Amino acid sequence: HTKTQASEWVHDHVPWGATIATDHSIPLGERNGLAPIFREEYLDFGYLFDHPLAESEKEAYLKERLGGADFLVLSEETPIYFSRAEKTYPAEWRFFDDLFAGRGDFDLVRTIRSRPGIGRWEIGDDAAELSWRFFDHPVVYVFEKRRQ
């Protein structure tokens, strides 16, 4: 499963003591039975969904949660959701648009993807109904904070 692969990659490549911001959909460290070698900062996108916050409050929340993070680990569900809801969630849309365009504070360092297949043949499922990928093998992105 890609989330387990992401957890293992993070455990093997992220320096001890680093702070990782995550939406908790990925079982990092202790939640995957691995040694607790880094600190997790919970990035609660449900909070942004469920509370009638001003755009400036949402931007402040994201900035505060990511301020001390060295890495950001996300599964594709949340960015895809917000990419389709620009008018409803403009602050979140801008955050993800900037993040994936390289305009934010983080650089993409790893994409973990798995496609179904038979033997050595892979079946491209990028156009498949999203719940197929989300529950079975979502793409996971690892970003590292850009050094100043």
Side-chain angles (χ1 to χ4, degrees):
H1 195 275
T2 52
K3 290 183 179 184
T4 301
Q5 292 171 352
S7 179
E8 291 167 353
W9 188 90
V10 165
H11 195 268
D12 292 343
H13 294 89
V14 169
W16 283 51
T19 299
I20 301 172
T22 178
D23 63 8
H24 271 207
S25 72
I26 299 150
L28 297 174
E30 287 181 283
R31 291 182 292 118
N32 196 30
L34 300 171
I37 62 171
F38 45 79
R39 184 176 159 270
E40 283 187 72
E41 178 68 45
Y42 180 41
L43 198 53
D44 185 2
F45 287 101
Y47 171 76
L48 299 177
F49 288 144
D50 298 335
H51 293 81
L53 302 170
E55 295 306 301
S56 60
E57 292 174 296
K58 291 178 180 187
E59 290 166 353
Y61 172 83
L62 291 168
K63 184 176 181 175
E64 181 230 327
R65 292 292 178 168
L66 294 170
D70 303 301
F71 290 84
L72 171 60
V73 181
L74 295 169
S75 181
E76 72 177 323
E77 298 99 318
T78 304
I80 285 178
Y81 176 81
F82 285 120
S83 74
R84 296 172 180 203
E86 177 182 359
K87 289 186 170 119
T88 308
Y89 299 103
E92 296 89 332
W93 179 85
R94 276 191 309 277
F95 167 74
F96 285 113
D97 189 56
D98 287 346
L99 180 66
F100 283 94
R103 293 186 299 262
D105 295 333
F106 292 85
D107 292 316
L108 181 64
V109 294
R110 182 78 175 171
T111 300
I112 298 150
R113 175 187 307 267
S114 175
R115 291 191 171 96
I118 301 170
R120 61 187 178 118
W121 290 286
E122 232 179 46
I123 300 168
D125 65 345
D126 290 342
E129 202 276 321
L130 291 177
S131 64
W132 165 256
R133 280 200 330 263
F134 287 177
F135 295 110
D136 189 62
H137 53 280
V139 177
V140 178
Y141 303 101
V142 180
F143 296 87
E144 184 174 7
K145 185 168 270 178
R146 192 172 297 120
R147 303 283 180 234
Q148 302 299 336

